[in-house]
Amino acid sequence: MPTTTRPSRFQEQVLAGVADIGGTLNRELPINRPTIYVYEAPVRLWHWVNALAIVVLVVTGYFIGSPLPTLSGEASDHFLMGYIRFTHFSAGYVLAIGFVMRFLWIFWGNIHSRQLFYLPIWSRKWWSGVRQELRWYMFLEKEPRKYIGHNPLAHIFMVLMAMSITVGMICTGFALYSQGEGIDSWQAKAFGWVFKLFPNSQDVHTWHHMGMWVIVTFVIIHIYAAIREDIMSRQTMISTMISGERQFRDDRED
Amino acid sequence: MGVATETFYDVIRRQGISRRSFVKFCSLTAASLGLSPVAATQMAHALETKPRVPVIWMHGLECTCCSESFIRSAHPLVKDVILSMISLDYDDTIMAAAGHQAEAILEETKEKYKGQYILAVEGNPPLNEDGMYCIDGGRPFVEKLKYMAADASAVVAWGACASWGCVQAAKPNPTHAVPIDKVILDKPIIKVPGCPPIAEVMTGVITYITTFGRLPELDRQGRPKMFYSQRIHDKCYRRGHFDAGQFVEAWDDEGARKGYCLYKMGCKGPTTYNACSTVRWNNGVSFPIQSGHGCIGCSEDGFWDKESFYDRLTTINQFGVEANADRIGGTIAGVVLAGVAVHAGVTAVKRISTKRDE
């Protein structure tokens, strides 16, 4: 693995905290510096809380759809399904509130905090990045380009498979929750429109269930890509989501 | 103003019913509609003073199960409703008149009570071949329906057919049967779904409309909130077993004998809005779950197209492959996992060989 030996003037500036990261930087441009603070503390906190909530939601959600083997004895002796559902709903609230807070953070956070909420489909450079990154995953490129935030392929994947699905799961989830809360609950008022799309709520159950499998698939790809990029790419991945700092392994141009 | 405009009170007094019984009826009906005690007085006043509402009851593509249910209403007795409370001027399956005589009543009501009569519709119109799949009185039912709806004050959609389409609108729907709100666009429509709806729900709705002269409060899908705002599951007497995690796993197991929750047997109670678990059927004797069978969701939109009545997860038909969410999702996740493994393997091999080259 190539290592940096001589720090450039710009790198020294970054290390000294002089360089204006948010302002002068064109996010799409491949860059050339050793360490940049990318994920601020609230973003990292959200990531890990969200990850935990998703694990809890997937496990409890599966057992709501396909309950555990029946329990014997008196009904008053048990509350298993009740506890599973309570856990699911609580984790759902954590996910939903976390999502709203994460969205609001784009107004305070750095430029990278906004990346999850849009796709720069108007940018030629971005599309070329998508192509290059696809070729990298098909083993047709010698090395990937360097990116401070998500690479363009990861960017698409995040917006389509993580963020949109999360919105869909929050909407369908709260709509289903409103059935128990009642027709006059705020959940029914805010999310009752879901039943305009699917008049028979059984369909909402089905799509909510499919959404779970999309998220499971997302998690598989997400973890694989994070580990692979951590080893193969020219910048850190996993440690970045812990410390927030992205370290580049070389100072070559692309 | 003719016989049809007598009040309900006039008619029942003439039939020898005491004022005491009449007040009792008002209190009971108010209670069954979930109204306050004051409403009983309002109801009594309305039934004493308001002329009876003319009702036209039409039949499209249907099986008459709504009528069968309606005439079995225990409270209020359907005899009272049909003969006294409303003026059922036309109902081709139970009226004495037939042929031209019957059709003449339609014209007469439409003219005489323009904008005042209620149109109750059982069944729905098929639209294919210009509606030729349902001919009623020599012309397509869809034409007759639009013709009579034009001068009605409100329209009642009886049952799953008129409300959602039911079996005749199930895939592939060869006659292109549609719920009535697809052809009646300019009138208030109240949907009373179910296959059939519960008798007491039907008479309750009629009582409300005749008493207060307006439709009851409706939910987002046009159903009366008083009967359709909660799911079977919310008021099911087996709900305790659901929360405990006690399920019937097979039709003849211990759980079935003990009356455990039928969730795993595909009960549609958690997705079905109806009053079965509170009002019950046949004068409150029982309802499907109480009789040991899961709810089939007959009052829900498109319940015939949700595949088996005995599966919790809906079958999804795509590209001719039938599978449920778990099978489709599990397969996708499995394939992706395998793909990831292969990709990781190729990556490792590539990396090792590149290193060796260096």
Side-chain angles (χ1 to χ4, degrees), chain A residues 113-129:
Chain A
S113 71
R114 283 161 225 173
Q115 209 178 2
L116 289 184
F117 294 89
Y118 76 103
L119 287 173
I121 47 169
W122 56 86
S123 161
R124 220 164 239 258
K125 192 168 206 96
W126 184 77
W127 281 112
S128 118

Side-chain angles (χ1 to χ4, degrees), chain B residues 289-335:
Chain B
I289 295 167
Q290 194 175 345
S291 304
H293 190 283
C295 165
I296 62 170
C298 76
S299 56
E300 286 297 311
D301 185 30
F303 79 103
W304 292 104
D305 287 329
K306 304 301 170 214
E307 298 299 328
S308 173
F309 294 149
Y310 306 100
D311 288 330
R312 190 54 227 145
L313 291 168
T314 306
T315 303
I316 302 166
N317 284 297
Q318 284 306 332
F319 316 111
V321 180
E322 281 184 26
N324 65 32
D326 267 349
R327 234 168 284 149
I328 294 172
T331 308
I332 292 170
V335 167

